[in-house]
Amino acid sequence: MHDDLIARAETWLAEDPDPETRDELAKLIEAGAVAELEERFSGTLQFGTAGLRGELGAGPMRMNRSVVIRAAAGLAAYLNAKGERGGLVVIGYDARHKSADFARDTAAVMTGAGFRAAVLPRPLPTPVLAYAIRHLGAVAGVEVTASHNPPRDNGYKVYLGDGSQIVPPADAEIAAEIDAIVSLDDVPRPEAGWETLDDSVLNSYLARTDAVLAAGSPRTARTVYTAMHGVGKDVLLAAFARAGFPEPVLVTEQAEPDPDFPTVAFPNPEEPGAMDLAFAKARESDPDLIIANDPDADRCAVAVKDAGDWRMLRGDEVGALLAAHLVRRGARGTFAESIVSSSLLGRIAEKAGLPYEETLTGFKWIARVEGLRYGYEEALGYCVDPDGVRDKDGITAALLITELASELKEEGRALPDLLDDLAVEHGLHATDQLSVRVEDLSVIARAMRQLREQPPTELAGLAITRAEDLTRGTDRLPPTDGLRYTLEGARVIVRPSGTEPKLKCYLEVVVPVATHADLPAAHATANDLLAAIKRDLSAAAGI
């Protein structure tokens, strides 16, 4: 077994085109680091609907140039099989370690496989790549990004020609093509032949961002902005300047791309502490709202002044605010969200007489809803211009929420006031999440098994009126690994994360509110219920 492991590692080493990972692997072989080698050679990084995502390093269980070249070759073989040979594949990348290398390798593989390849001119937001696919008539697109994962990670996200991310069965078909590649020596990788795009695609994207705003709407709200060490700053500033908003005040420590993300534990606005520098800047400059993007700028976080200090709005709160704003502007078309997002969107759509759809988690599903006008997901993802970008877009979402803040400002109001109105109109929809990050993935499998074998009958004293195992699918949803509990006035969904080693539990309680005066009591009731559901669910899942 030991000899076999070393032999596999040496075969991998002989093919590895990257001097850094070759050196890393050679040292592990020389040191006889069996446990480390076993971990890296225990399988291959699995290609799924999120593409690839994992820790950088040598070996098939890590993100590296060898793994990316195989992924690109598998994608090329899949596109060839679909009759797309000779079509355009457009490639974007963020500012993480190795992203530019992975983008260049992908372009070389596509060129060698008979495709036209075009690479965006520099690290740019993911929505620019999603836009470029349809704008340029590409047959596929690749974005090299690990979004808001830790600095040691990178990833590989695949879109098809409709401009949305892959869904089954495309993921399994691409994975089969990747597995069929015997040796990297079989993958032609010319030194040149692809195109590096100029700024015309970016300029075309920016021209479209104007379309999300209403002509002649107020543009007075002042913002503090953080790019979270990612690639959002230049594009967001350009979009805000075009729109005529006051120039955002930057959180300078986080404004420029830095793959080490030095000021945050995790470069995700939802993580504790990630927004501290933005809050400090806001206390200093007193803006109307804070806007944050995640590192690849497809997500948008919003913070507001509430009861004298700054607080992050939940993704569900921003989702409802944007929906209410679009309804007020007379938007037509389908409103859609993932099953883990707040049911408030359905209430808003119903009252406005608009079609409403629920999908599985992920914009790959939301973007495919027929007649989509607006889609959102509680994890800070919003699609406000589906004709331009069939994915979440943190730039256009930032423009739209700032337009709403400007309109409210003209009325002497702010975003929390509109949230209060929505609670009185539709009931207070309060959401929370129980998210458990694990080192050992078997903890997640064990928790899911425990909930299936010994399902809870009540949570927080509320009877569970319906328990659904989503692996069986429903009349509206394809199968997925998840559990959904419907309670009297509450809802709980439990699922393993698709992109991180986390078990995620999404909680929602709905408390009726008669008047604005009843809001403080309703908030207190909701908070108590959410805390109790969290506690009981933890016990039931054994986490």
Side-chain angles (χ1 to χ4, degrees), residues 133-422:
I133 294 164
R134 294 171 73 207
H135 176 68
L136 298 172
V139 297
V142 170
E143 176 70 21
V144 180
T145 181
S147 190
H148 56 271
N149 275 38
R152 63 174 185 273
D153 289 2
N154 212 330
Y156 198 79
K157 197 186 271 197
V158 175
Y159 298 74
L160 294 180
D162 62 355
S164 42
Q165 296 172 49
I166 53 168
V167 292
D171 56 338
E173 290 171 21
I174 295 167
E177 295 286 7
I178 294 170
D179 290 344
I181 294 154
V182 179
S183 164
L184 286 195
D185 298 336
D186 303 337
V187 181
R189 300 200 307 281
E191 292 291 312
W194 57 90
E195 180 189 359
T196 300
L197 295 165
D198 60 17
D199 275 353
S200 56
V201 171
L202 174 61
N203 293 336
S204 175
Y205 166 83
L206 282 168
R208 254 210 92 86
T209 62
D210 303 352
V212 305
L213 304 174
S217 63
R219 311 278 166 95
T220 53
R222 294 179 311 107
T223 54
V224 157
Y225 171 70
T226 175
M228 206 65 68
H229 299 297
V231 299
K233 181 196 73 168
D234 292 347
V235 178
L236 182 126
L237 289 182
F240 269 57
R242 289 179 68 101
F245 286 113
E247 187 178 346
V249 173
L250 297 178
V251 179
T252 48
E253 302 94 326
Q254 298 175 334
E256 299 304 326
D258 186 331
D260 294 318
F261 306 106
T263 68
V264 290
F266 290 96
N268 177 356
E270 292 180 294
E271 293 280 352
M275 294 288 286
D276 287 357
L277 288 170
F279 290 156
K281 182 62 79 176
R283 290 181 193 115
E284 202 179 284
S285 55
D286 198 32
D288 298 298
L289 71 165
I290 299 172
I291 300 282
N293 285 138
D294 68 336
D296 69 326
D298 61 353
R299 287 175 168 81
C300 174
V302 181
V304 294
K305 207 173 199 176
D306 203 3
D309 203 6
W310 290 89
R311 78 167 179 98
M312 269 274 284
L313 293 179
R314 292 192 165 277
D316 285 317
E317 292 177 306
V318 177
L321 287 168
L322 290 173
H325 182 45
L326 288 168
V327 164
R328 188 162 144 184
R329 275 188 14 194
R332 308 308 300 161
T334 303
F335 280 27
E337 65 180 338
S338 62
I339 56 170
V340 299
S341 304
S342 168
S343 58
L344 177 55
L345 184 70
R347 306 264 174 107
I348 292 170
E350 186 184 10
K351 180 141 193 203
L354 295 174
Y356 164 76
E357 287 285 337
E358 261 192 336
T359 73
L360 291 184
T361 312
F363 263 82
K364 55 184 176 276
W365 298 108
I366 295 170
R368 284 182 158 71
V369 167
E370 212 168 303
L372 182 69
R373 174 59 187 88
Y374 168 64
Y376 98 89
E377 176 152 273
E378 56 70 47
L380 311 183
Y382 315 94
C383 174
V384 301
D385 175 26
D387 291 342
V389 175
R390 286 201 182 163
D391 198 3
K392 53 189 178 292
D393 182 347
I395 306 295
T396 48
L399 287 169
L400 199 61
I401 199 76
T402 308
E403 178 185 59
L404 172 57
S406 300
E407 283 186 7
L408 291 166
K409 185 178 181 176
E410 301 296 296
E411 300 165 10
R413 287 153 47 84
L415 296 172
D417 298 315
L418 181 52
L419 285 172
D420 288 349
D421 293 351
L422 291 170

Side-chain angles (χ1 to χ4, degrees), residues 471-486:
T471 45
R472 301 191 182 101
T474 72
D475 54 349
R476 306 299 299 270
L477 298 169
T480 185
D481 186 8
L483 299 164
R484 177 162 63 180
Y485 303 114
T486 306

